[in-house]
């Protein structure tokens, strides 16, 4: 910055050269405009338009119809179940993600590449297969079926099954965010903290956690969004009991299949709203952090 | 930064509290009943469940909480086999219900004889839905083999409803032309006119109604009424063919589940209640044909007379029909191969 400042005060020849140097690193005006235009067109076509369709569909028949659709007992139960699943799944995956990333980034051990590949597996497997895996495991014809029914335990076609498949499907999000971040940061700071006499937990809380918090928050947001929206695997293990094991995405499909398009869009608008709230929370946290960071 | 970690801690604490609360939610002093059904029965059972709960409370002074699960008939049966805790199943066809016996031994072999009318408290049939004014002048099954007609039906391999469609057409041709070969040829010609073979009945309805593909939609009678009444008033007409199949969607108590849960009495009363006059009227109101002829007569305006044939008379029961027509290497596979070759 200071160098640029002095060059601006120097002779006209140098200023001109500086300006030319600046232009050389930038694309011509038309390229920039085209690129921005393409990006905006994509956003409009694939993001804003569907969002509008959802909102128009939801409120087409007025606020009263929308309100009735989202406060109907089955819809309320679906919303409640979805939030319950998120509240269970996200903390589990935070613990898992931080643990795995910590292990991978800060330690050397045999089979580390294998572990990293395994973390990605839930992304690679189709959700339908994930659902079937758990049916084969916990279904009454499955491996653990007899034992579970003898102890009167219900996993699939009940809330635990839904939690398990969603936790499985969203497992990589936080770990995937944290591993590169922690690998890049290395372990000098932690080593310094430990040599200065801090305990392991203290080091984690005051050194590691502040360093990874953006990755963590971003991972939590992705994990949260995905947990609310997961469909394929849940559809298989849910049993679709109304008011009990239908999550919001399943409830939306049910409504759509029953020709209740307005209600389907109304519940969709809630799901979309939750996603928008998630994004808003992220921006607020960022803004807050910048402000407090500046005053500190 | 410390403010952020404090906030994170608080969020986690709130989350954990919410989890423990929901885990503690006490079980209410009611009897729970789970009815696993197929797609189009939702409105019927919503109303019937209220009626039954009221009756049960009056008689036994006990609250019965009936929960519903709806989906494709075959996949719903699959879920019950895999452990979905159904007290009763009310599915689209006997073949799907019988799978509960064949694959998991959840019900006895004589399940279909336990209630009147092959355990089907209401019946339906297969009709033809056409666009308003019947522009292609479709009157009967014969019109579906015309070159200028596009037919919509779901895939019999995956859809229970589509098997009824297929068998209805086959039975008609068998009656009219007198030989299996002629029936085969007739059904092949119909499927050659199908532009989109949806996997399930509701998807096919959407293809015909929302996407406006095809001239005629082979459909359950109750689905056709729903399309006419709810989806587009004045946009569709129902054409009742001269001959059609009597579709019997059966119901049964799932013995293994009710005995474990101790709900047999209420589950049985629930199904027997479907045969009462009140429930029969509800069935008629939701476009199913009441099995009680007296109540059916009250709905004679709604349901025109059809020359019915049953699956047992013409096809020798569901097992045989499934084996001859829809299993791998059956007639339907040959039909699809022929069509692919001729294209």
């Amino acid at each position: 910055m200071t160098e640029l400042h002095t060059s601006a005060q120097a002779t006209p020849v140098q200023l001109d050269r500086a300006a030319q140097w600046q232009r050389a690193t930038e694309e011509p005006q038309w390229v920039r405009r085209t690129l921005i235009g393409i990006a905006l067109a994509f956003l409009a076509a694939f993001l804003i338009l569907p969002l509008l369709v959802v909102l128009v569909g939801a409120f087409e028949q007025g606020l009263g119809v929308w309100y009735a659709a989202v406060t109907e007992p089955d819809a309320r139960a679906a919303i409640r179940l979805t939030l319950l699943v998120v509240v269970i799944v996200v903390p589990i995956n935070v613990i898992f993600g931080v643990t795995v990333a910590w292990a991978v980034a800060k330690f050397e051990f045999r089979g580390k590449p294998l572990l990293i590949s395994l973390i990605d597996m839930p992304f690679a497997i189709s959700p339908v297969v994930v659902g079937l895996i758990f049916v084969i495991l916990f279904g009454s014809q499955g491996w653990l079926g007899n034992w579970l029914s003898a102890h009167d335990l219900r996993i699939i076609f009940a809330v635990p099954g839904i939690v398990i498949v969603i936790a499985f499907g969203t497992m990589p999000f936080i770990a995937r965010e944290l591993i590169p971040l922690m690998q890049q940061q290395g372990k000098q700071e932690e080593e310094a903290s430990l040599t200065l006499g801090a305990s392991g937990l203290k080091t984690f809380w005051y050194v590691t956690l502040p360093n990874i918090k953006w990755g963590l928050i971003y991972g939590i947001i992705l994990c949260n969004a995905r947990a609310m929206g997961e469909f394929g695997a849940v559809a298989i293990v849910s049993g679709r009991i109304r008011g009990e094991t239908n999550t919001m995405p399943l409830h939306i499909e049910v409504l759509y299949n029953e020709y209740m398009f307005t209600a389907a869009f109304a519940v969709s608008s809630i799901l979309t709203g939750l996603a928008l709230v998630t994004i808003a929370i992220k921006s607020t946290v960022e803004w807050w952090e910048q402000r407090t960071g500046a005053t500190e | 930064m410390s403010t952020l970690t404090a906030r994170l801690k608080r969020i986690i604490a709130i989350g954990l509290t919410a989890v423990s609360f929901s885990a503690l939610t006490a079980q209410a002093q009611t009897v729970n009943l789970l009815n696993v059904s197929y797609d189009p029965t939702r409105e019927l059972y919503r109303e019937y469940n209220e009626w039954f709960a009221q009756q049960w409370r009056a008689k036994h002074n006990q609250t019965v909480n009936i929960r519903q699960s709806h989906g494709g008939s075959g996949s719903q049966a699959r879920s019950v086999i895999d452990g979905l805790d159904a007290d009763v199943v009310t599915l689209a066809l006997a073949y799907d219900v019988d799978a509960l016996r064949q694959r998991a031994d959840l019900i006895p072999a004589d399940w279909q004889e336990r209630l009147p009318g092959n355990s089907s408290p209401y019946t339906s049939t297969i009709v033809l839905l056409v666009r308003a004014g019947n522009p292609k002048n479709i009157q009967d099954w014969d019109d579906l083999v015309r070159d200028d007609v596009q037919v919509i039906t779901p895939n019999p391999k995956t859809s229970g409803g589509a098997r009824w469609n297929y068998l209805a057409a086959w039975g008609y041709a068998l009656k009219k032309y007198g030989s299996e070969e002629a029936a085969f040829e007739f059904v092949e010609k119909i499927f050659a006119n199908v532009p989109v073979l949806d996997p399930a009945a509701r998807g096919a309805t959407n293809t015909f109604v929302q996407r406006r593909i095809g001239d005629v939609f082979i459909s359950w009678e109750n689905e056709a009424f729903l399309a006419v009444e709810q989806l587009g008033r004045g946009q569709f007409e129902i054409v009742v063919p001269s001959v059609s199949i009597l579709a019997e969607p059966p119901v049964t108590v799932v013995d293994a589940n009710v005995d474990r849960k101790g709900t047999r009495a209420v589950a049985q009363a629930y199904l027997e209640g479907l045969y009462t006059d009140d429930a029969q009227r509800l069935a008629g109101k939701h476009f199913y044909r009441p099995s009680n002829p007296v109540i059916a007569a009250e709905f004679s305006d709604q349901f025109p007379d059809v020359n019915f044939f049953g699956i047992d008379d013409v096809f020798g029961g569901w097992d045989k029909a499934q084996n001859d027509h829809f299993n791998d290497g059956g007639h339907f596979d040959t039909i699809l191969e022929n069509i692919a070759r001729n294209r």
Side-chain angles (χ1 to χ4, degrees):
Chain A
M1 279 307 271
T2 45
E3 273 178 10
L4 204 75
H5 192 65
T6 49
S7 76
Q9 282 175 331
T11 59
V13 183
Q14 278 174 313
L15 182 77
D16 191 40
R17 197 178 294 158
Q20 260 177 8
W21 174 79
Q22 193 110 43
R23 268 202 297 279
T25 61
E26 282 177 10
E27 301 297 338
Q29 191 81 359
W30 68 270
V31 174
R32 271 189 287 169
R33 291 230 169 117
T34 318
L35 286 175
I36 293 171
I38 290 174
L40 284 180
F42 259 83
L43 276 180
F46 291 105
L47 216 71
I48 308 211
L49 194 68
L51 212 60
L52 279 180
V53 168
V54 168
L55 291 178
V56 168
F59 293 103
E60 206 172 27
Q61 296 183 26
L63 211 60
V65 176
W66 178 87
Y67 185 77
V70 299
T71 53
E72 180 249 355
D74 287 352
R76 280 214 314 260
I79 295 169
R80 226 176 11 241
L81 177 60
T82 305
L83 295 179
L84 172 72
V85 167
V86 166
V87 160
I88 299 172
V89 161
V90 172
I92 289 176
N93 277 332
V94 166
I95 294 167
F96 169 80
V98 172
T99 316
V100 169
W102 176 272
V104 166
K106 312 285 182 189
F107 300 102
E108 293 304 323
F109 53 90
R110 286 216 289 173
K112 195 157 118 176
L114 182 72
L115 180 68
I116 296 177
S117 329
L118 279 178
I119 294 168
D120 280 342
M121 208 164 69
F123 280 171
I125 303 179
S126 157
V128 177
V129 178
V130 173
L132 286 177
I133 288 171
F134 287 103
V135 169
I136 289 168
L137 262 180
F138 299 123
S140 57
Q141 309 286 304
W143 295 355
L144 299 174
N146 284 335
W147 187 84
L148 286 172
S149 65
H151 292 76
D152 209 21
L153 294 171
R154 307 208 61 78
I155 305 278
I156 57 164
F157 308 122
V159 176
I162 297 172
V163 170
I164 289 171
V165 295
I166 292 181
F168 183 89
T170 56
M171 196 167 67
F173 279 107
I174 291 169
R176 272 281 124 203
E177 283 299 320
L178 292 185
I179 288 171
L181 193 66
M182 287 169 95
Q183 274 178 331
Q184 191 194 356
Q185 281 166 353
K187 45 191 171 187
Q188 286 99 329
E189 287 185 32
E190 277 87 356
E191 279 167 356
S193 161
L194 290 170
T195 45
L196 288 173
S199 69
L201 198 66
K202 208 169 178 184
T203 302
F204 174 75
W205 201 249
Y206 288 106
V207 178
T208 313
L209 200 59
N211 274 336
I212 62 166
K213 67 170 185 283
W214 291 119
L216 188 59
I217 290 172
Y218 199 59
I220 289 174
I221 285 162
L222 286 178
C223 178
N224 178 51
R226 178 78 186 156
M228 287 193 294
E230 175 64 50
F231 178 82
V234 183
I236 295 197
V237 300
S238 120
R240 296 162 186 270
I241 306 169
R242 275 144 211 271
E244 216 174 290
T245 62
N246 269 350
T247 59
M248 284 170 77
L250 288 188
H251 189 62
I252 291 166
E253 196 223 12
V254 162
L255 291 172
Y256 184 77
N257 271 345
E258 280 162 2
Y259 311 121
M260 303 177 68
F261 301 119
T262 313
F265 278 122
V267 180
S268 303
S269 75
I270 298 270
L271 196 54
T272 315
L274 284 173
L276 293 178
V277 166
T278 314
I279 293 171
I281 290 174
K282 177 183 168 246
S283 311
T284 315
V285 172
E286 265 171 7
W287 169 80
W288 181 275
E289 206 51 33
Q290 267 171 2
R291 212 187 60 168
T292 52
T295 52
E296 265 167 18
Chain B
M1 302 201 170
S2 57
T3 53
L4 179 76
T5 46
R7 269 200 304 280
L8 273 180
K9 273 189 246 177
R10 206 176 311 139
I11 289 167
I12 291 169
I14 292 170
L16 289 177
T17 324
V19 175
S20 46
F21 262 123
S22 56
L24 283 173
T25 308
Q27 290 237 310
Q29 293 298 313
T30 54
V31 55
N32 283 311
L33 212 57
L34 175 59
N35 176 2
V36 172
S37 194
Y38 63 117
D39 271 326
T41 57
R42 178 192 192 216
E43 287 78 15
L44 167 62
Y45 279 112
R46 174 168 283 189
E47 216 167 321
Y48 174 70
N49 289 349
E50 265 175 38
W51 177 88
F52 178 77
Q54 217 172 358
Q55 299 279 317
W56 187 260
R57 201 180 305 121
K59 253 183 236 158
H60 302 267
N61 197 25
Q62 184 184 33
T63 308
V64 54
N65 173 29
I66 303 152
R67 302 162 307 154
Q68 286 291 138
S69 168
H70 296 267
S73 187
S75 71
Q76 291 290 82
R78 180 75 246 181
S79 292
V80 176
I81 291 164
D82 282 329
L84 180 57
D85 223 0
D87 297 280
V88 298
V89 292
T90 53
L91 295 176
L93 42 118
Y95 183 78
D96 290 334
V97 178
D98 206 47
L100 304 188
R101 176 185 65 80
Q102 288 185 5
R103 297 189 186 266
D105 218 12
L106 298 174
I107 52 174
D110 66 342
W111 66 270
Q112 211 169 1
E113 275 112 65
R114 293 192 290 188
L115 287 168
N118 289 330
S119 289
S120 302
Y122 39 79
T123 65
S124 193
T125 187
I126 299 300
V127 298
L128 310 173
L129 191 69
V130 298
R131 304 205 181 273
N134 199 355
K136 293 275 169 102
N137 189 28
I138 288 153
Q139 300 300 339
D140 208 345
W141 291 107
D142 283 318
D143 294 308
L144 304 196
V145 302
R146 271 162 39 196
D147 288 340
D148 63 327
V149 171
Q150 281 202 326
V151 181
I152 300 295
T153 170
N155 188 345
K157 279 273 182 190
T158 50
S159 157
R163 277 174 233 165
W164 288 114
N165 294 353
Y166 171 106
L167 295 175
W170 187 287
Y172 166 82
L174 196 63
K175 255 189 186 164
K176 182 155 184 192
Y177 303 108
S179 77
E180 293 276 335
E181 289 74 26
F184 181 92
E185 208 177 305
F186 186 81
V187 174
E188 182 182 321
K189 272 188 192 158
I190 291 184
F191 276 90
N193 283 342
V194 177
V196 197
L197 212 53
D198 281 291
R202 278 289 153 105
T205 314
N206 279 334
T207 298
F208 185 74
V209 171
Q210 304 284 326
R211 293 169 62 200
R212 316 198 145 273
I213 297 176
D215 303 306
V216 53
F217 174 43
I218 315 178
S219 166
W220 290 95
E221 188 174 48
N222 54 305
E223 285 279 290
F225 270 111
L226 205 64
V228 170
E229 300 279 326
Q230 293 191 356
L231 290 177
R233 253 174 210 287
Q235 291 182 41
F236 307 102
E237 285 173 24
I238 294 174
V239 173
V240 179
S242 60
V243 173
S244 194
I245 197 161
L246 178 68
E248 296 179 313
V251 302
T252 184
V253 165
V254 184
D255 298 66
N257 291 348
V258 294
D259 288 343
R260 183 164 40 78
K261 291 155 76 177
T263 49
R264 181 181 279 281
V266 60
Q268 206 158 335
Y270 179 80
L271 293 185
E272 281 163 3
L274 287 168
Y275 291 87
T276 60
D277 291 357
D278 285 350
Q280 290 283 301
R281 283 195 191 95
L282 280 181
K285 182 181 161 195
H286 292 287
F287 314 122
Y288 281 96
R289 292 180 181 236
S291 63
N292 180 340
V294 180
I295 310 292
E298 293 174 20
F299 290 89
S300 57
D301 289 349
Q302 189 175 324
F303 301 117
D305 274 340
V306 182
N307 196 354
F308 284 127
F309 59 87
I311 186 147
D312 293 340
D313 322 333
V314 178
F315 299 96
W318 262 113
D319 273 339
K320 193 169 180 317
Q322 177 73 27
N323 204 36
D324 291 353
H325 293 272
F326 306 119
N327 282 349
D328 288 340
H331 290 323
F332 182 66
D333 277 349
T334 322
I335 285 176
L336 286 188
E337 280 162 26
N338 289 352
I339 291 171
R341 199 174 324 117
N342 294 340
R343 265 183 188 158

